[in-house]
Amino acid sequence: MQAKINKVELRNLEIEDYKQLKKSMIESYPEMADSYWGSDDIERLLSIFPEGQLVILVDGKVVGSALSLIVDEKLVDKKHNYQQISGDYKFSTHNPNAEILYGIDVFIHPNYRGLRLGRRLYDARKELCEQLNLKAIVFAGRIPSYREHAKKMTPKTYIEKVRMKELYDPVLSFQLSNDFHVLRIIKNYLEGDEESKEFAVLLEWNNIYYDESPRLINLKKNIIRLGLIQWQMRPLNNVEALFEQAEFFIDVVSGYGSDFALFPELFIAPLMADYNHLSEAEAIRELARHSDPIRKRFQEFAISYNINIITGSMPYLENGNLYNVGFLCKRDGTSEMYTKIHITPNEVIHWGMKGGSQFKTFDTDCGKIGILICYDVEFPELSRLLADEGMNILFVPFLTDTQNGYTRVKHCSQARAIENECYVAIAGCVGNLPKVNNMDIQYAQASVFTPSDFAFPSNGIKAEATPNTEMTLIVDVDLNLLKELHEHGSVKILKDRRTDLYEIKKINS
C-alpha cells in the first residue's frame, strides 16, 4: 500500500467526479492515453443509465470505475466490436427493457491495484444485475499479455493456457477468478489495442436468480455471513509473524464470502514472550506498543479482503492508563475503537488495567452491531442498552483459561441472545503459552447463539466449533427472522418490558 488509507467508498458515478475520473482513466491506460471518455460522453451515460455507472473512491479521490449499458441479448450474440456495442460511442444500444448488463469499461488506478478494489466493482455489478433482474453480465475483456506470445500461439491456445494457470494475464486471469466464463474470441474488437493484438475475449456471468417474469427484489442484504476465528496460541517471532497468521485466517473466511471476521480477546499475547523477563504489568505495557500498528495493518486487510474485521482485543495505553480495547476495521477503510467496560480481578491484580467508560452500537454495511469483550457479556445491562439502539448481532471476543470461565461466557451469551432477540457470536483462543506469564492455558469453543423460538434452533445454538481446536466457524444469520420475531414471536421480550415500572439508561450518553 502506497500510503495510509482512511476511507474507501463505492458509489454511483456523478458528473462532478469527471475531472478525477479522466485523470484515473489516462493513468490506467497509458498505452491508449488519448482514448478516454469525454465529459459529454459521461453526461450522456448518466442521463440514460445512472445506476449502472460505479466509482471507487479512496479518501475522496476517484481511483476506479465500472461503466455499463443494458443491451439486447440478440445484439450480444451477433459478431460485434467495441464501436458497434457502444452504439458508435453514443450508447444508442442501451435498452432498459433488455436482458444483458454489458460492461463497457472497468479500471483501477495503478497506484491502488492489489487492494482487490476491482473485485468490489465486479461484485457490485453482480449485485446490480440481480437487483435489476437481468439475465447475465457480458463484456469483452482485453488480453494485454498476448502480445508477448502472439508469435508462438493462437489466441485460443493463449486463453486456454491462462485458464489452466500455465500463463498469467493481468486482465483475463482476474476475470476468470471472478466466475466469468469464456463465450468466444472476438477479432478486431478494440481499434488500437496493440497489447491484445486487437483480440478480445467475450465473457459472461450468469445471474442464477434471473426470473423472466417481473418481480420485486429486496435491495437490502438480510443474510449476513459470520467468520469466527478460533485462534491457536503459538510462539511468534515478531509482529510480522502475527500478521501472516492473521491474514491466513482473514483470507479463509473472506474466501467463503464472510461479511465479518471475529478474532478473540488478547489473541496477540504470544508477542509478550519477548518481555517475559519483566514483571507482568511491565510486559503488557510493552505489548501495548503494538496496538496502533496492528490496527493499521488490519485496516489494510479489511480493504484488501473486503470484509469487516473485529480485532478481538489488545492492551492500549492512553494518558498513562492501560485499557483492554479492540477495533472494528470496516471494509470501507474506516475504523472505530471499542473498550472493555468491566475488568476482571485478574486483569486488575496482575496488569493494573482500568475499565472504559464509553460503549455504543456500530453502524456497518450489514446493519447495527454491538461488541462486548468477554467479562462484559456477563452484565446484562450493557447488551440491553445496545439492543435499545437497534443492535442485531452482538460479537463477543473472549479469553478464558478454564472450562468454568468459558461456561460463564457461553451461558451468559445465550441469555443475551434470548433476552435481546439478537444473534450473539463468540470466539476465543485455544492452546497454551508456556513462556508468557499469566497467559498459561486457554479453553474455548466458538459459537453463534440465537433467540429461542420456532424459526431458530430449538437449543438456541446456530453453530459451534470443535472445542480447543484451531479452526474457523462460518455461519449465516438471517436478519429477517429477527424482524419476524420482534413482531410475531411466541413471546416478545423487547416489546413486553414493563417500562412503566423500571428502565435501564446510560448515565453518560
Side-chain angles (χ1 to χ4, degrees):
M1 184 172 292
Q2 299 296 316
K4 180 179 181 295
I5 291 177
N6 295 307
K7 185 170 185 178
V8 177
E9 181 183 8
L10 170 65
R11 62 166 170 79
N12 287 108
L13 173 66
E14 300 171 359
I15 193 61
E16 291 77 15
D17 298 322
Y18 179 73
K19 287 185 179 180
Q20 292 184 18
L21 182 77
K22 174 183 173 181
K23 184 177 179 181
S24 287
M25 279 191 287
I26 292 173
E27 294 189 35
S28 297
Y29 301 123
E31 70 280 4
M32 296 184 289
D34 296 325
S35 299
Y36 57 85
W37 294 106
S39 60
D40 291 342
D41 300 321
I42 296 300
E43 192 167 2
R44 186 180 302 110
L45 199 55
L46 290 174
S47 68
I48 62 173
F49 188 30
E51 58 268 46
Q53 321 315 322
L54 306 170
V55 285
I56 286 271
L57 291 86
V58 173
D59 295 335
K61 174 185 175 183
V62 175
V63 301
S65 181
L67 309 178
S68 308
L69 299 172
I70 299 176
V71 301
D72 293 316
E73 188 172 16
K74 292 180 181 179
L75 185 59
V76 172
D77 290 338
K78 292 180 182 178
K79 180 180 178 180
H80 64 270
N81 59 28
Y82 190 68
Q83 182 175 356
Q84 292 167 337
I85 200 69
S86 64
D88 199 23
Y89 314 115
K90 302 298 182 184
F91 317 123
S92 59
T93 50
H94 176 70
N95 176 5
N97 298 314
E99 311 90 355
I100 303 297
L101 186 66
Y102 197 101
I104 59 172
D105 206 345
V106 62
F107 64 86
I108 296 292
H109 190 287
N111 292 348
Y112 295 88
R113 291 170 186 168
L115 295 174
R116 295 177 175 81
L117 300 182
R119 188 180 297 274
R120 292 201 195 196
L121 289 171
Y122 277 73
D123 287 345
R125 265 188 181 165
K126 293 173 183 177
E127 185 176 352
L128 178 66
C129 184
E130 293 175 358
Q131 291 174 358
L132 297 179
N133 192 34
L134 300 176
K135 191 172 185 179
I137 301 173
V138 176
F139 61 89
R142 300 172 62 236
I143 44 175
S145 292
Y146 178 61
R147 180 170 61 180
E148 303 168 14
H149 305 275
K151 293 182 180 179
K152 298 179 289 185
M153 62 185 73
T154 64
K156 180 180 178 181
T157 302
Y158 176 78
I159 292 167
E160 181 61 19
K161 286 184 175 294
V162 173
R163 190 181 69 82
M164 298 301 296
K165 295 183 170 54
E166 296 175 26
L167 292 174
Y168 174 79
D169 186 278
V171 177
L172 182 58
S173 296
F174 174 76
Q175 292 159 344
L176 292 176
S177 71
N178 275 275
D179 302 321
F180 286 86
H181 61 269
V182 176
L183 289 178
R184 63 178 183 271
I185 299 168
I186 303 179
K187 188 177 181 181
N188 301 321
Y189 182 73
L190 181 60
E191 184 178 355
D193 185 6
E194 291 298 323
E195 289 185 321
S196 305
K197 295 297 180 182
E198 297 190 355
F199 286 101
V201 183
L202 196 67
L203 294 139
E204 182 181 53
W205 175 84
N206 297 111
N207 176 16
I208 63 173
Y209 302 110
Y210 174 69
D211 185 350
E212 292 184 358
S213 61
R215 62 172 178 169
L216 294 175
I217 299 178
N218 187 354
L219 305 184
K220 189 174 181 180
K221 187 171 188 178
N222 287 298
I223 305 296
I224 310 301
R225 181 160 293 178
L226 313 180
L228 282 53
I229 297 160
Q230 192 154 285
W231 177 271
Q232 172 78 44
M233 290 294 203
R234 56 167 59 80
L236 296 171
N237 293 329
N238 49 47
V239 72
E240 287 301 322
L242 176 85
F243 291 147
E244 181 179 349
Q245 191 68 22
E247 185 174 10
F248 167 79
F249 282 111
I250 293 168
D251 189 12
V252 168
V253 297
S254 70
Y256 284 107
S258 298
D259 296 291
F260 290 95
L262 173 63
F263 283 85
E265 180 185 22
L266 296 176
F267 76 101
I268 72 168
L271 298 176
M272 253 198 308
D274 288 345
Y275 315 117
N276 218 33
H277 61 287
L278 302 174
S279 70
E280 293 164 353
E282 291 172 323
I284 200 163
R285 280 164 173 77
E286 288 297 313
L287 183 64
R289 294 191 304 161
H290 295 292
S291 295
D292 276 327
I294 289 171
R295 175 184 60 80
K296 292 175 183 177
R297 183 63 70 89
F298 273 70
Q299 280 183 276
E300 295 176 11
F301 288 153
I303 295 170
S304 296
Y305 290 94
N306 193 23
I307 189 170
N308 301 301
I309 303 174
I310 298 164
T311 66
S313 81
M314 56 202 74
Y316 188 83
L317 274 171
E318 185 175 61
N319 299 324
N321 295 319
L322 183 68
Y323 299 97
N324 190 349
V325 312
F327 302 96
L328 169 60
C329 297
K330 302 179 186 178
R331 49 186 157 200
D332 68 0
T334 60
S335 71
E336 297 184 77
M337 181 189 288
Y338 51 89
T339 307
K340 192 170 186 177
I341 304 300
H342 300 91
I343 303 302
T344 64
N346 184 69
E347 290 171 301
V348 175
I349 294 169
H350 293 282
W351 293 333
M353 275 188 168
K354 291 192 173 183
S357 58
Q358 299 291 327
F359 63 97
K360 64 173 186 175
T361 54
F362 298 94
D363 290 312
T364 74
D365 54 6
C366 299
K368 285 185 179 293
I369 67 166
I371 307 171
L372 297 178
I373 301 174
C374 197
Y375 193 30
D376 283 340
V377 80
E378 298 178 32
F379 298 84
E381 298 88 351
L382 293 183
S383 55
R384 174 51 54 87
L385 289 167
L386 297 179
D388 286 342
E389 293 179 8
M391 172 187 70
N392 290 314
I393 307 172
L394 175 62
F395 292 93
V396 182
F398 71 90
L399 180 72
T400 50
D401 57 351
T402 66
Q403 192 167 359
N404 301 52
Y406 168 72
T407 298
R408 290 194 298 270
V409 171
K410 174 184 177 179
H411 289 301
C412 287
S413 295
Q414 283 193 278
R416 303 298 85 87
I418 293 170
E419 67 199 19
N420 295 304
E421 299 178 340
C422 67
Y423 296 104
V424 179
I426 68 172
C429 295
V430 300
N432 60 81
L433 283 174
K435 295 185 178 181
V436 177
N437 292 330
N438 199 39
M439 295 292 296
D440 305 300
I441 58 173
Q442 287 78 38
Y443 183 98
Q445 184 179 23
S447 307
V448 175
F449 304 118
T450 72
S452 183
D453 212 326
F454 298 118
F456 304 95
S458 57
N459 62 357
I461 301 173
K462 176 73 174 176
E464 289 180 309
T466 303
N468 274 5
T469 302
E470 183 171 57
M471 62 182 295
T472 60
L473 185 65
I474 311 295
V475 184
D476 285 346
V477 295
D478 189 344
L479 301 188
N480 275 334
L481 294 181
L482 297 181
K483 295 177 186 176
E484 182 74 14
L485 176 69
H486 297 333
E487 299 297 328
H488 307 293
S490 300
V491 294
K492 306 178 184 67
I493 296 173
L494 292 178
K495 286 183 176 293
D496 290 342
R497 287 176 293 168
R498 288 291 304 275
T499 54
D500 59 320
L501 297 177
Y502 58 86
E503 63 177 348
I504 300 173
K505 64 179 181 180
K506 291 183 181 180
I507 302 299
N508 298 314
S509 56

